[in-house]
Amino acid sequence: MSVWEDVVGQESAVAAFTAAAQAAREAAEQREAQAAAGVAPEAARGVDGARGGGAGSGATSPAGLAMTHAWLVTGPPGSGRSNAARAFAAALQCTGPVPGCGQCKPCRDVMVGSHPDVVRLTTEKLIITMDEVKTLIGEAQRRPWTGRWRVLLVEDADRMAERTTNVLLKSIEEPPPQTVWLLCTPSADDVLPTIRSRCRLVTLRIPPADAVAELLVRRDGADPELAARAARASQSHIGLARHLATDADAWERRRRLLLAPVSLRSVGDAVLAAASLVDAAETEAKEATTERDAREKAELTRALGLESDGKIPAALRAQIRQLEEDQKRRAKRARTDVLDRAMIDLLSFYRDVLITQMGSDVERVNLDLADAVDQAARTTTPEQSLARIGAIEECRSRLRSNAAPLLAVEALMVQLRPQAGA
């Protein structure tokens, strides 16, 4: 099993990464041969692909695809950006017969997150902080410990503020030899043009539903029929499909969510529906974080030599307070993610309504809600469906921009309710 097994429906991206990893291996072998022959390291530096100006620099594989020092991996939510970048990192460290064999120790270590030369930065908060980026830049200055490359993987590069990204620019522009940056974002427009111009762009597509279903069966042991239904309902979003295929209650929650707007009869109903949705999101986020929060606090108090229920000395309160602030930000991110997942589901419903109104032969997403979709299609116009789709996207944008969730969802539900006389 290679490291690319879970990167589904991304054949062109996998081909580009594989060719680059092969080029990187050849460059490293050439560098090592020159060093063994007594060639000065400075003279050998040009073949390692870790310096230079953007996509055209570095070593080149027989296929003509160069290895370069910075990569920007983009793709729609759920396409597997992080998995693809992690697999590429494994292929760079691989010592097997072909890059990314998945069997050698470096490949296995990268895939489980324990390789010392692959540093991964992700966040469960709304933003990546300046301190986190400065720490990462410090890591980039180190030489590889055991592998041939020092790989810095930033999974949520779109969550950096502009001034934070500017701090990162110099390190990406002129990295140390044998350093590779991998930045993951939904779109190339999510990073500064100065960053984008210094990276090789690899764009992932929405994977086919049957490929996502096959992954759920193989990796998660899902029932094939349920996996196919989940892949379709999630619109090939791998994370959402897995949630639907493995959570027994997810389908009923989703059904209630999608049927709620069409049953609203007044602004009061819309306000109550919004409160219910936000409360449910907060409950789900709390369930996902409470146990971890308690474990982290217990570990910190133990490390500080404190009793679990004892008084905290003034000198140590700042560390406890910092942990609590981080946990609050993580809970806020979790709630936002749950609400965004709900917005994607609502988009799928009104997408089905619109294609029905337009007489399109495109397959519906929500086959189990055919009656509700048909009813909405008969009693509304395509213009109203487009307006509702726009309102959902606007709500998603407001939630990502730190708007008050309840107010954003209330405004959405008012716009989604059926018009008088409909």
Side-chain angles (χ1 to χ4, degrees):
M1 179 183 291
S2 78
V3 298
W4 306 107
E5 290 292 322
D6 289 351
V7 185
V8 298
Q10 311 295 345
E11 291 77 10
S12 61
V14 170
F17 283 139
T18 302
Q22 181 62 38
R25 173 178 289 194
E26 293 169 2
E29 290 171 349
Q30 183 180 355
R31 182 179 64 242
E32 292 162 2
Q34 288 176 325
V39 178
E42 199 65 31
R45 178 176 292 174
V47 302
D48 66 12
R51 280 190 179 271
S57 63
T60 305
S61 71
L65 291 174
M67 174 60 194
T68 190
H69 66 281
W71 297 75
L72 181 60
V73 186
T74 69
S79 59
R81 295 185 305 267
S82 299
N83 283 343
R86 183 178 59 175
F88 182 39
L92 290 174
Q93 305 294 2
C94 179
T95 57
V98 293
C101 70
Q103 304 300 316
C104 66
K105 187 176 187 301
C107 276
R108 296 197 307 270
D109 287 348
V110 173
M111 298 307 286
V112 300
S114 61
H115 196 290
D117 293 321
V118 177
V119 182
R120 173 174 167 261
L121 175 61
T122 185
T123 183
E124 294 173 322
K125 298 173 286 187
L126 293 176
I127 62 168
I128 294 175
T129 66
M130 181 75 75
D131 288 341
E132 288 173 320
V133 169
K134 288 181 177 178
T135 298
L136 193 65
I137 292 172
E139 292 284 351
Q141 304 307 309
R142 300 178 183 271
R143 292 182 60 83
W145 294 97
T146 63
R148 286 170 165 164
W149 304 94
R150 186 76 168 165
V151 182
L152 293 308
L153 170 56
V154 184
E155 292 191 1
D156 299 289
D158 56 309
R159 292 186 179 271
M160 288 187 288
E162 182 173 334
R163 64 189 185 92
T164 305
T165 308
N166 279 325
V167 171
L168 190 63
L169 177 60
K170 185 67 173 177
S171 186
I172 289 180
E173 187 175 31
E174 297 181 4
Q178 299 169 260
T179 295
V180 179
W181 286 92
L182 305 178
L183 309 181
C184 300
T185 68
S187 165
D189 293 332
D190 291 325
V191 297
L192 294 176
T194 48
I195 293 284
R196 190 164 63 242
S197 66
R198 287 159 175 78
C199 296
R200 166 85 50 75
L201 177 64
V202 175
T203 300
L204 275 59
R205 61 171 182 154
I206 297 174
D210 57 351
V212 175
E214 188 277 331
L215 174 65
L216 297 176
V217 173
R218 171 171 49 81
R219 185 186 66 185
D220 301 306
D223 174 76
E225 183 177 346
L226 177 61
R229 183 183 169 202
R232 185 187 302 110
S234 68
Q235 301 174 79
S236 293
H237 186 300
I238 296 174
L240 296 184
R242 184 178 185 276
H243 177 71
L244 289 171
T246 57
D247 186 343
D249 298 324
W251 287 102
E252 181 56 30
R253 290 197 299 269
R254 184 176 187 276
R255 180 180 176 83
R256 289 198 301 268
L257 166 70
L258 298 187
L259 294 181
V262 298
S263 65
L264 302 177
R265 291 295 176 264
S266 66
V267 172
D269 288 346
V271 170
L272 291 175
S276 177
L277 177 55
V278 173
D279 287 345
E282 290 180 343
T283 298
E284 186 172 342
K286 186 175 182 180
E287 289 174 352
T289 59
T290 297
E291 183 178 345
R292 180 176 175 182
D293 290 351
R295 184 175 66 253
E296 287 177 344
K297 188 168 184 179
E299 290 172 352
L300 178 58
T301 55
R302 185 165 55 251
L304 295 175
L306 303 174
E307 297 289 339
S308 59
D309 55 352
K311 185 176 180 180
I312 301 174
L316 301 178
R317 288 174 189 163
Q319 296 182 56
I320 301 293
R321 188 161 54 249
Q322 181 61 54
L323 174 63
E324 292 173 344
E325 289 299 319
D326 287 343
Q327 290 176 342
K328 287 179 182 178
R329 284 191 285 267
R330 182 168 64 203
K332 187 175 183 180
R333 164 75 184 271
R335 181 190 61 194
T336 300
D337 288 346
V338 172
L339 287 173
D340 191 65
R341 189 166 69 219
M343 297 301 108
I344 292 173
D345 286 338
L346 285 170
L347 280 172
S348 75
F349 180 83
Y350 288 102
R351 173 248 191 212
D352 284 352
V353 172
L354 182 61
I355 64 173
T356 301
Q357 291 169 329
M358 301 302 293
S360 172
D361 58 358
V362 176
E363 186 179 20
R364 290 181 180 181
V365 170
N366 301 285
L367 298 180
D368 55 330
L369 297 175
D371 291 344
V373 169
D374 289 339
Q375 173 69 14
R378 286 193 302 270
T379 57
T380 61
T381 66
E383 291 77 13
Q384 289 172 323
S385 297
L386 283 171
R388 288 177 172 125
I389 289 171
I392 297 169
E393 289 290 7
E394 178 64 22
C395 183
R396 293 183 72 194
S397 177
R398 288 173 177 171
L399 291 170
R400 288 193 296 266
S401 65
N402 213 21
L406 184 57
L407 292 179
V409 179
E410 282 180 353
L412 171 64
M413 288 300 177
V414 169
Q415 291 174 283
L416 293 184
R417 67 190 177 93
Q419 301 299 311

